[in-house]
Amino acid sequence: MRTYSFLTVLLWSCMLHMIHMMPPQKRTNKHSRSERITGLSENDGKTLHRTKRGWMWNQFFLLEEYTGPDTQYVGKLHTDQDKGDGNLKYILTGDGAGSLFIIDENTGDIHAAKKLDREEKSLYVLRAKAIDRKTGRQVEPESEFIIKIHDINDNEPKFTKDMYTASIPEMSGVGTSVIQVTATDADDANYGNSAKVVYSILQGQPYFSVDPETGIIKTALPDMSRENREQYQVVIQAKDMGGQMGGLSGTTTVNITLTDVNDNPPRFPQSTYQFSSPESASPGTSLGRIKANDPDVGENAEIEYSISSGDGSDMFDIVTDKDTQEGIITVKKHLDFENKVLHTLRVEATNTHPDPRFLQLGPFKDTALVKISVEDIDEPPVFSRPWYLIEVDEDAKEGSIIGQVVAQDPDRTKNAIKYSVDRHTDLDRIFNIYSGNGSLFISKPLDREETPWHNITVIATEINNPKQSSQIPVFVRILDINDHAPEFANYYETFVCENAKAGQLIQTVSAIDKDQPPRGHKFFFELVPESAVHPNFSIVDNKDNTAGIMTRRNGYSRSKMSTYLLPVIIFDNDYPIQSSTGTLTIRVCACDSRGNMQSCNAEALLLPAGLSTGALIAILLCIIILLVLVVLFTALKRQRKKEPLIISKDDVRDNIVTYNDEGGGEEDTQAFDIGTLRNPEAREESKMRRDVIPETIFQIRRTAPLWENIDVQDFIHRRLKENDLDPAAPPYDSLATYAYEGNDSIANSLSSLESLTTEGNQDYEYLSDWGPRFKKLADMYGGEDSDRD
C-alpha cells in the first residue's frame, strides 16, 4: 500500500507540473465562448468579463498486466470550478470508457476495471466533461487526455520458423556460414531490456556454433565428412533481457545436411577377377561385370572403365553401365582356343568429375587384373577363303574339273571333311563335286549366251559329327567362245527411188553378235562372191561395225524390176572366225524431187498420176455404192410389175411348213409358197417366157385347165411331160425339181389345201387324243367360234 500511495503521489505531482507548464488549451466555438455578464454599474456602466480556468490534467500512466486485489487507480480529474458542493458531474468518453476505465462522476477519480496488455494496445485516448447538475451546462469545454500503458517483460522471443532446413558441402572449413535464424520479442524495445534477444546453441555442439547477436549458425569443426555423418540437428535458443537471469526464452530446430563432394576415389573390392568364354562367342557378347566402389554419390560417383594394358586388349572391350556404374566386359574379336587359351587384361576405373581441391589426396582412379580363359568347343569346318571365283570356258567337256574348294576342322581333333553341292542353288545339276577333295567338275554342257554366271553353294561337313557343317558361295563365270556368227542388228526395209543417181547411199546396216570377245566386236561386210560385182548396188564397209549400201547406176524402173535381193556376208574377227549371210530386200519406189518415198506398189502405175491412195479408195467406195443403189432400184421395180396370184378372195393359199422339232409351229414363215400350184387360173394364163428371144414369137399351146385339186406329184409329172412335148420350148430351159414325200400319211393332211369347201365345219376333237403336243390345235379348231376368232 505504501508503494501504491507513493506512485499515486508521484503521478499527481508529474501531472500538476505538466499542467502548469502547458499553455492554455484552445476552446471550441461551442464551449470556448466566454460567458458574458451584462450589467451597468452605478459608477461607469462598463461590461464585466470572467475568464475560466483550465483542466487540471494532461496525461496518465498505467502498468500492464496488473494483478493486484483492487482495481488499479489511474488518476483524478478536477476543475477549478468544482467547489466541492457536489454540483458538478464528471463524464468520461473515448477508448475503453465505461468498460476498461471507470470514473467517479462526483470526485473525478479514474480506475482501470480490467487487466491491460500493452502488446494489444499501448495507449488509450479519452475525453472528459464537467457538467453542472442543475443547469446541465458544461462548466468546462470537453478536453482530451491520454492513458499510456507501461511495458513489463511478459513475452518470450519467438522464431520466424518452428523448424529450419539448411545444407552445407562436406569438408567445409571452420566458421563457414550455414544459415541465419531470427527471433522477435513483442515487448517494448524502447523500455528496458525486455525485447533485447540473445542467441545460444543448446544442441549441435561441437559441430556448429551460433552468433549470439545475429543468429548466424556456423561450422565449428573442420573436415566434416558426409560419408561419416550426413544429417545434423541443431537446437537454437533465443532469450530476452539480454540473456540475463529472469529473461524469457524460445527455441527452434535447424536440420543441417552435408552435401557430397568428390573427395573419395573409386576402389576395386578385389585386385583380380576371373572370367571364361567359349571360343564361339560372337563379338559383342557380354562375359561379366566388375565394379569399383565409390562412397560419393551423384556425378561424384560416376566412373569410367577402360583397358589400360594386357595381352587381350585387342580381343576384349569394356563399357560402362551408366545406371549401375559397373564395367561390362565384352568380346571384341572372335576367339580361338587353339591359338590362345588365357587372356589377361588390366582394367582401370576413373572418376569422370574429379574435384581439384582434393587432388592432393592422390589419384582418383584404381586398377584391377582381369583374367579370361577360352573354352574349347567343337567348331564347324572353316574354308580357306570367304568365297571362291572359278572361270571356265563354255566349250568345256562334261566331266572336266573346273576348280577346288578347301576346308578343314579348326579343332585339335582335325576331323575328316566331306563336300557336297547345295542343290537348291544348282537345280539343273550342271555342277558336281568330289566329296573327298572338294574338286568341282561339269556334269552338263555350258552355254554362256544362256547363263553367263552360276552361283552355287558348297557345303563342308564333318564326317564324325554331321551337325557341324559350313557353307561357302562359289561364283562360276562362263568364259566366252566364238561360237555364234554375227547377223544384222535389225530387219531393214530398204528402198531405192526410181530417179536415184549412181553412188547414192540408200541404207546403213549394222550387226550384232551374241558372243562377247574380250577386245570388243569388230565386223566386216562384203557381198557374196557370186554378187561381188553387182550391176545395181555395192556395199562400202565403214570400218566402225557398219556398212553402207550404195547405188551403182542412174534410175530404176518398177515396171521392169520392183524388188532386188542383195545378199551380204558379215564376218567377225575372233577365233575361230564366224560369218553369216543376210539378205537385204530393196524395193523400187516412186519418190519426189527431194527423195521422199511416195509409193512402192506396182499397181500404182495403172492409176492416174497425182492421185493418192486415200483418193483412190474414196472413188472405189462411191462406185460400189452406186452399184448397190442400181440393184435395189431394179428389184423394187420388178416387185411392182409382178401380178398377184390370188384372183379371188375365196382363193386359199397355204404354205408347206416343215416341222423338224417341237418348236416353231405356225409362226414359222420361212417356207416355200406353193400357192401357184394351187391356182389353176394363174397357172394357165398365157404369158411370154422371159428366156425367149423377143423377135421370135412362138405359138403358146394352152393346156387343159385343172379344175380339181389333184396330187402335187401328178401335177408336177404332167407339167414336165407337157414341157418335154412342147416344140416351142427353147433348149436352154431349166428344170425345177420339187421334193415330195408322197401321200397317204397315217395322220392324213392337217392343211386345208385338199378341203372341198373352205367354209365347212369340221370336227377336230380327235386332236385332243394325240397328246399335249396337239392340244393347242384342238383348242384353236375344235371350238365353235374358232373360225370367227
Side-chain angles (χ1 to χ4, degrees), residues 389-593:
L389 173 62
I390 299 175
E391 294 182 344
V392 58
D393 293 334
E394 64 175 324
D395 61 346
K397 303 300 181 182
E398 297 180 17
S400 302
I401 296 177
I402 62 175
Q404 184 182 18
V405 296
V406 178
Q408 62 179 359
D409 184 8
D411 300 321
R412 292 182 177 180
T413 56
K414 301 299 179 182
N415 293 326
I417 305 296
K418 66 176 181 179
Y419 302 91
S420 61
V421 176
D422 186 358
R423 292 304 173 188
H424 293 91
T425 61
D426 185 25
L427 298 177
D428 296 331
R429 295 182 176 270
I430 299 175
F431 302 94
N432 212 332
I433 192 170
Y434 291 108
S435 61
N437 59 9
S439 297
L440 285 165
F441 60 92
I442 302 173
S443 299
K444 292 183 179 180
L446 303 176
D447 187 358
R448 189 204 65 83
E449 286 70 32
E450 181 179 352
T451 308
W453 285 89
H454 294 273
N455 301 328
I456 63 175
T457 300
V458 175
I459 303 173
T461 308
E462 292 184 9
I463 296 177
N464 296 334
N465 187 7
K467 293 183 179 179
Q468 296 297 332
S469 64
S470 58
Q471 56 186 18
I472 198 74
V474 178
F475 307 103
V476 181
R477 179 182 180 184
I478 311 301
L479 300 179
D480 183 42
I481 298 298
N482 193 23
D483 55 348
H484 290 85
E487 57 188 12
F488 281 127
N490 299 298
Y491 173 77
Y492 297 100
E493 295 183 356
T494 308
F495 71 93
V496 61
C497 295
E498 289 183 308
N499 55 357
K501 303 297 182 180
Q504 182 177 342
L505 176 65
I506 61 172
Q507 182 68 60
T508 300
V509 296
S510 61
I512 57 173
D513 194 337
K514 294 181 180 179
D515 297 320
Q516 289 184 351
R519 294 183 299 274
H521 291 291
K522 181 64 178 176
F523 302 118
F524 303 95
F525 303 86
E526 63 181 34
L527 298 178
V528 297
E530 293 80 4
S531 304
V533 183
H534 199 280
N536 299 304
F537 305 97
S538 64
I539 186 168
V540 177
D541 196 334
N542 297 326
K543 307 301 181 182
D544 60 353
N545 293 337
T546 62
I549 308 301
M550 313 292 292
T551 59
R552 295 195 63 185
R553 62 186 180 87
N554 295 328
Y556 295 84
S557 175
R558 280 183 293 171
S559 60
K560 295 181 180 180
M561 179 69 71
S562 61
T563 303
Y564 293 91
L565 299 179
L566 185 66
V568 178
I569 302 177
I570 309 173
F571 300 90
D572 59 19
N573 67 335
D574 205 353
Y575 180 83
I577 296 177
Q578 300 287 343
S579 64
S580 67
T581 301
T583 301
L584 286 177
T585 301
I586 304 174
R587 295 185 300 167
V588 180
C589 301
C591 303
D592 56 13
S593 59

